[in-house]
Amino acid sequence: MKRPSNDEYFMSMAELASQRSTCVRRRVGAVIVKDKHILSTGYNGSPKGTKHCEELGCIREQLNIPSGTRHELCRGVHAEQNAVAQAAYFGVSVKDATIYTTTFPCSMCTKILINSGIIEVVYKSGYVDDLSKELLAETNIKVRVFSEGTE
């Protein structure tokens, strides 16, 4: 049995977190890591104590909102946002950490990642959000697509 690389290990954890998602459109998971240690995880879904989109239906689908636009019109908190929020909730700094996410972060998540001190984004699937790409290009944050067998 082949031992997974750190990238494979942490991305598989992000994929596992995505299975907790309550989003009916896209399941996303994220794991924040520093010094090969998991600091926080997150998945997309409605805020604590509120009804899930699985119960109410998707506002974005009902309004025919295209993917990658009008992120504010959604009940859900994104996986990256939840991972940063969970770290803050428990008093864990994510400064100088890496986030592994199953989907490229949207512009809202990107702004939070920039201001939280994340220094690297590793993502598995692309996402159409030009503003996110522009913002990341203006920073020193390393951005790379996940590739099996790499570190």
Side-chain angles (χ1 to χ4, degrees):
M1 186 167 134
K2 178 187 165 281
R3 183 178 186 218
S5 70
N6 287 318
D7 273 0
E8 290 168 332
Y9 175 67
F10 294 126
M11 189 57 76
S12 69
M13 298 288 279
E15 290 169 341
L16 182 62
S18 76
Q19 293 176 24
R20 293 279 304 151
S21 171
T22 58
C23 179
V24 298
R25 283 180 84 164
R26 179 188 320 261
R27 291 176 169 242
V28 180
V31 176
I32 299 177
V33 176
K34 185 173 181 180
D35 299 327
K36 300 179 185 177
H37 178 77
I38 295 172
L39 302 178
S40 182
T41 65
Y43 54 87
N44 56 330
S46 298
K48 286 181 186 179
T50 66
K51 291 184 180 180
H52 298 292
C53 299
E54 293 174 328
E55 299 171 69
L56 300 174
C58 177
I59 296 168
R60 295 175 60 78
E61 282 183 356
Q62 294 163 6
L63 297 174
N64 276 333
I65 298 170
S67 184
T69 65
R70 305 294 313 269
H71 301 292
E72 76 280 6
L73 296 176
C74 178
R75 289 184 66 82
V77 180
H78 291 186
E80 302 91 337
Q81 295 168 341
N82 270 325
V84 171
Q86 285 301 305
Y89 186 86
F90 290 106
V92 176
S93 172
V94 297
K95 184 179 182 299
D96 299 328
T98 296
I99 189 165
Y100 288 82
T101 182
T102 58
T103 304
F104 188 85
C106 73
S107 55
M108 289 185 354
C109 289
T110 293
K111 291 183 273 187
I112 290 169
L113 297 176
I114 291 167
N115 281 358
S116 69
I118 294 289
I119 60 168
E120 183 177 29
V121 174
V122 182
Y123 69 96
K124 189 166 187 179
S125 299
Y127 185 71
V128 179
D129 190 328
D130 292 336
L131 178 56
S132 179
K133 292 173 186 154
E134 290 172 23
L135 289 166
L136 285 165
E138 294 176 31
T139 71
N140 291 324
I141 295 174
K142 182 178 180 182
V143 179
R144 61 188 173 92
V145 66
F146 168 75
S147 178
E148 303 246 359
T150 63
E151 225 20 67

